[in-house]
Amino acid sequence: GAVVSQHPSRVICKSGTSVKIECRSLDFQATTMFWYRQFPKQSLMLMATSNEGSKATYEQGVEKDKFLINHASLTLSTLTVTSAHPEDSSFYICSAPLAGDLSDTQYFGPGTRLTVL
Amino acid sequence: AQSVTQLGSHVSVSEGALVLLRCNYSSSVPPYLFWYVQYPNQGLQLLLKYTSAATLVKGINGFEAEFKKSETSFHLTKPSAHMSDAAEYFCAVSAGSNYKLTFGKGTLLTVNP
C-alpha cells in the first residue's frame, strides 16, 4: 500500500514552454501532497504544500506564478512549470502522507526529470 | 524550527563491513525521525522511522537506527554491507502534525567488493 506515482518520468522541453507534472496516490486518499525539487547531488528542497480544494502553500523563495499547483481531487496533484527556462531543469518529486497517520510518514513518487533546452 | 545534519557526504565501506551513517537533529518539540534511501533517478523509499515508541528502530533490508535524545542523534547502521546497499541516504525530521519533512543533505554510500 501507499503507492505514489508521477507522470511523466522524464520530459524535455524548449525554453519558454510550460510543462505539467502529475502526482497520483494510487491506493489511498491524500488531502495533502508535497512538491520537492532536487538538484544534482543535493538534497530535496520543499517547494510547496498542495492542499485538496484550497490554494497551495509555497515555501519562501518559490514563485507561485511560475510553479502552479492544482490539487483537484483526493488522489491527484499537478505541478505546472510555466515559461520554463534552463535553470528550472531539475528532478521534481512529490510525496503524500496517509491521512490520519500521525507519524508524518511521507510516501514518495518516483520523480520527474525535467530538462529545459 | 528543525534541522538535520548528516556527517559525511560520502561513506565508503567494503562488502560485509559495518555500515554507519550519522544523523544529528535539532527540534524544538519531540521529533519524528526518518531514514530514506534513494537509488539513482528514483524517488525516496522509507527505510525506517522513529515515532516516540521504541528507541531502537528496525527497518527494511537489515537496517536499524537508534534514537538518542541526549545526543540528539539518529544514526543508521547495518551489520554487514551488501553491494545492493549502494545508494544515497537521507535523514529527515518532522516536528509536528503539519507533515513537513526537513531533510539532511544526504550521504552517498559506496560499497566496494
Side-chain angles (χ1 to χ4, degrees):
Chain A
V3 178
V4 176
S5 70
Q6 282 184 242
H7 178 79
S9 59
R10 186 181 297 268
V11 58
I12 301 173
C13 69
K14 293 181 179 180
S15 185
T17 61
S18 295
V19 174
K20 180 184 286 188
I21 302 170
E22 294 185 346
C23 177
R24 292 182 185 273
S25 56
L26 297 185
D27 51 0
F28 67 102
Q29 294 183 334
T31 55
T32 301
M33 289 182 173
F34 297 92
W35 286 96
Y36 297 84
R37 181 166 53 185
Q38 184 181 33
F39 291 107
K41 300 188 185 301
Q42 294 189 28
S43 188
L44 280 74
M45 298 299 296
L46 180 64
M47 299 175 65
T49 304
S50 173
N51 303 297
E52 189 270 335
S54 64
K55 291 183 178 181
T57 305
Y58 291 82
E59 296 300 303
Q60 191 172 9
V62 177
E63 301 175 59
K64 59 182 179 182
D65 293 332
K66 181 168 184 61
F67 298 99
L68 301 179
I69 292 173
N70 186 348
H71 197 145
S73 77
L74 288 172
T75 59
L76 174 64
S77 174
T78 60
L79 169 68
T80 301
V81 183
T82 63
S83 186
H85 288 92
E87 57 266 29
D88 298 323
S89 297
S90 188
F91 194 52
Y92 292 86
I93 307 176
C94 70
S95 72
L98 285 172
D101 178 356
L102 299 180
S103 74
D104 291 356
T105 303
Q106 290 188 26
Y107 298 91
F108 286 80
T112 297
R113 174 76 59 191
L114 171 63
T115 303
V116 185
L117 303 176
Chain B
Q2 57 206 46
S3 65
V4 173
T5 301
Q6 289 184 242
L7 297 176
S9 60
H10 187 194
V11 170
S12 182
V13 301
S14 298
E15 189 173 20
L18 171 71
V19 175
L20 171 60
L21 305 182
R22 300 178 186 275
C23 172
N24 288 89
Y25 70 91
S26 173
S27 177
S28 56
V29 298
Y32 294 147
L33 293 160
F34 306 83
W35 275 101
Y36 285 89
V37 61
Q38 184 181 33
Y39 296 99
N41 295 310
Q42 295 187 27
L44 275 66
Q45 180 182 6
L46 180 67
L47 275 178
L48 49 80
K49 62 183 178 183
Y50 167 76
T51 58
S52 75
T55 56
L56 182 61
V57 181
K58 294 187 183 298
I60 62 172
N61 301 338
F63 285 94
E64 63 181 37
E66 185 172 9
F67 172 71
K68 292 187 177 180
K69 183 179 179 180
S70 61
E71 299 177 8
T72 60
S73 69
F74 190 57
H75 301 330
L76 181 71
T77 61
K78 181 174 180 177
S80 177
H82 193 272
M83 296 295 289
S84 60
D85 294 327
E88 186 91 28
Y89 291 80
F90 293 96
C91 182
V93 62
S94 174
S97 58
N98 64 2
Y99 299 122
K100 285 189 178 182
L101 289 179
T102 299
F103 285 88
K105 292 188 175 182
T107 298
L108 177 65
L109 175 65
T110 301
V111 182
N112 303 309

